[in-house]
DNA sequence: CTCCGTGCAAAAGGTTTGCACTGGT
DNA sequence: ACCAGTGCAAACCTTTTGCACGGAG
């Protein structure tokens, strides 16, 4: 999976160069931190993960860089029940399982979900570009605890 | 649509009485404020909508009452991209169109979306109870502005 | 009468902003 | 050298908490 991270860094570099923006250490390390984990970290968790490598890093920068990465389309903002904003290193279409018991979020590959479409007449003139499905239920861990 | 609001107030009254909880003016007015609008107000917007009728109302109470209404299942919490927590007066299954330009949210009737399910092999032991679909795109207003 | 609910004020997060300095190109 | 990015501190906004009073059942 190391190669995947390298690929994302190159993607970031390309997007930044295309706009004449600098590729800083902070952007590199923050992107790595988000992509390397498959949970969905908050800005604060990203800060914690990166601060060892960049001791002078400020929380402000984490917010600003995450925002920039979202704008560039390198990562996604995730709207997590309960807690604050979270970030998701995956950018291919995928869906989420939200556990209503412990609040965790599990990714589901898009291919595991049958295609979703809206009848054109129901769109109210809304131009739909993408979608994601939020499944709500109980995760394996919580089911195990509940049955014991 | 006035009748619908009355019905929801009776529903609230029943749920509260069943638990020996009082039906206060604040709970009545806050529920009305959420149900009467078809957008998805924040706690602060609810406060603004109700403060004329209840001049001594405090923001704290709005938060507490909204929370209680969610617990009772009379309204739903909505996890909205960008902004803070929003509340949705509809409790039947429906989906949402999120405008990435202005941030507004439009309801979609559930019947307009084909049923979505996960193949059993993809559930990783997760027990799915419900789902909702988040469509992302551009709303009619923003499309109009963009084309001019 | 008894609790729960409410209002107020203050605290607690989480996120944003202004400004001077640093760093990538 | 230039301009965007960064760090710091303070501001901001939303949400939560402690405590005394007031109102519904």
């Amino acid at each position: 999976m190391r190669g995947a991270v390298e690929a994302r860094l190159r993607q970031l570099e390309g997007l930044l160069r295309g706009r004449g923006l600098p590729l800083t250490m902070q952007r590199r390390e923050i992107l790595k931190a988000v992509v390397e984990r498959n949970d969905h970290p908050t800005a604060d968790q990203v800060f914690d993960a990166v601060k060892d490598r960049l001791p002078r890093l400020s929380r402000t920068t984490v917010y600003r860089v995450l925002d920039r990465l979202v704008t560039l389309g390198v990562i996604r903002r995730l709207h997590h029940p309960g807690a604050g904003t979270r970030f998701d290193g995956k950018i291919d279409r995928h869906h989420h399982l939200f556990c209503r018991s412990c609040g965790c979020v599990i990714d589901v590959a898009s291919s595991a979900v049958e295609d979703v479409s809206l009848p054109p007449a129901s769109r109210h003139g809304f131009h739909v570009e993408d979608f994601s499905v939020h499944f709500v239920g109980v995760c394996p861990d919580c089911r195990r605890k509940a049955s014991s």
Side-chain angles (χ1 to χ4, degrees), chain A:
Chain A
M1 292 289 97
R2 171 65 57 79
V5 174
E6 296 303 326
R8 298 298 291 282
L9 285 172
R10 282 195 298 276
Q11 178 196 7
L12 172 62
E13 190 178 355
L15 286 165
L16 289 172
R17 259 217 285 260
R19 303 176 184 223
L21 299 175
L23 173 57
T24 62
M25 220 29 132
Q26 288 86 339
R27 286 173 176 168
R28 233 193 293 264
E29 292 298 331
I30 288 171
L31 175 59
K32 274 171 61 182
V34 176
V35 171
E36 273 171 355
R37 45 202 299 176
N38 46 11
D39 62 344
H40 305 83
T42 62
D44 216 62
Q45 289 173 319
V46 172
F47 175 74
D48 280 350
V50 179
K51 69 159 183 267
D52 293 332
R53 291 172 172 247
L54 271 50
R56 292 190 54 76
L57 181 69
S58 117
R59 264 183 185 74
T60 309
T61 299
V62 175
Y63 283 104
R64 280 187 290 220
V65 169
L66 287 170
D67 206 58
R68 165 71 70 192
L69 295 178
V70 170
T71 301
L72 292 171
V74 183
I75 65 175
R76 268 192 162 68
R77 211 180 283 275
L78 191 66
H79 308 288
H80 185 285
T85 308
R86 287 167 182 260
F87 296 88
D88 189 340
K90 289 195 177 166
I91 50 172
D92 52 323
R93 177 184 294 167
H94 63 284
H95 310 291
H96 293 108
L97 300 165
F98 293 93
C99 176
R100 64 167 169 73
S101 173
C102 70
C104 70
V105 184
I106 299 172
D107 286 330
V108 187
S110 180
S111 60
V113 176
E114 53 190 85
D115 224 16
V116 173
S117 64
L118 273 177
S122 301
R123 287 182 195 170
H124 307 99
F126 196 101
H127 177 240
V128 174
E129 297 170 339
D130 198 10
F131 71 92
S132 79
V133 183
H134 287 43
F135 294 94
V136 179
V138 186
C139 74
D141 280 3
C142 289
R143 290 184 76 188
R144 206 174 308 120
K145 285 170 195 160
S147 62
S148 63

